[in-house]
Amino acid sequence: MSFKSKLPQVGDTIFSVMSALANKHNAINLSQGFPEFNCDEGLIESVNSFMQKGFNQYAPMPGNLSLREALAIKYTARHTTSINADNITITAGATQAIFSAISCLVEKGDEVIVFDPAYDCYEPAIAAYGGKTIHISLNYPDFSIPLEDLAAKITNKTKAIIINSPHNPSGAIISNEELQAIEELVLKHNLYLISDEVYEHIVFGGKHHISVLDYPALFERSFICYSFGKTYHTTGWKMGYCVAPHSLTKEFRKFHQYIVFSCNTPIQMALAEYVPNQSYQELPAFFQKKRDLLQTALSGSRFELLPSNGTYFQLVNYSAISQENDVDFAKRMTIEYGVASIPCSVFYSTAEDHKILRLCFAKNNDTLIKAADILCKI
Ligand code: PMP
Ligand code: GLN
């Protein structure tokens, strides 16, 4: 039977492809972004104990109230916008938060601006609703936002802009100047913003994560998407949340309640107790040590290291080694040398190839050293 796909361009994601290739060839997997180490034992015990105590049925549709209150306290203390539990919806990962936000916004013919290299889940959701993704390449090599180009690409069909900071795959962090300019454009043209802030706690060099929650007027037209997976080393739990003003949250929940209805009860109960301990304060130093270890171990290699100011990714340029395209080179590096990475051209609509690979350093130190030893011999 032939089936007319609404998403004809979509295949397996590069993360699935490279992880499968790494497994097949027993390679060190620095491709898909997930920690190699476990989350806090105490958090596991807490989830387990809520299960044992019988908290195994549906959570409330918007999420556990204590968890939403704990998050509201956290964000109100950290940023200039004050929020409460009614601004927060607990989702099945940031992916579902992003999908639900796009569901609220995009109608047939709408344009949504995204910046390449872009995380892979934005465009298929836009396409599913008949929207058109307008791609703008970030400036290379600092991955800043080309503000003039952004202003020029706004039309009367533009509905929303999607931003991501700290940025996957580049590790770039949005500046106040960029966010101010985006605020002006959003307000001037009555647009909406989806801000993907899943790596909010992974910023280096004493820098601060600048959030849309620091821009109250912009927040009024924004959905901010977060991931417990990144903050607590629990990507496999698929838990996240969306923070939005009340009017947008009301609409968001109309979709949320029919996409998933509600999310995992015992995990929400455990997180409600866990969030106030502020363990996320340790993340910058924890991941910066790993970044530094990898950078030092690669300093004698032929790979050129690009700056990594946030996230758990390091970009490396291999043009001193090969002129192959990055997908072929990444595959060959996995098969012949045993180190898997992500080729960055897949994050560009035009497959822009700067000969760059993304290495994930959310790995044990011995894994990073082993991988770097191999990379130094290439
Ligand atoms: N946005 C970005 C930039 C990501 O890197 C990821 C996941 N790694 C997500 C969204 C999705 O997060 P989650 O796993 O919570 O769905
Ligand atoms: N966000 C992770 C990454 O960038 C991958 C998540 C996934 O496999 N969908 O590597």
Side-chain angles (χ1 to χ4, degrees), residues 93-95 98 119 122 164 168 196 198-199 227 230 238-239:
T95 308
I98 293 163
Y119 187 61
Y122 311 144
N164 168 217
N168 178 6
D196 178 343
V198 300
Y199 298 101
S227 173
K230 307 295 172 195
K238 288 306 302 185
M239 295 288 283

Side-chain angles (χ1 to χ4, degrees), residues 165 223 335:
S165 175
F223 298 88
I335 297 166

Side-chain angles (χ1 to χ4, degrees), residues 15 31-33 119 168 199 230 313 358:
F15 309 115
S31 66
Q32 194 176 23
Y119 187 61
N168 178 6
Y199 298 101
K230 307 295 172 195
F313 303 117
R358 188 194 80 176

Side-chain angles (χ1 to χ4, degrees), residues 338-355:
V339 179
S341 60
I342 297 287
C344 288
S345 66
V346 301
F347 299 122
Y348 286 92
S349 67
T350 54
E352 217 168 297
D353 183 4
H354 295 285
K355 313 265 175 259

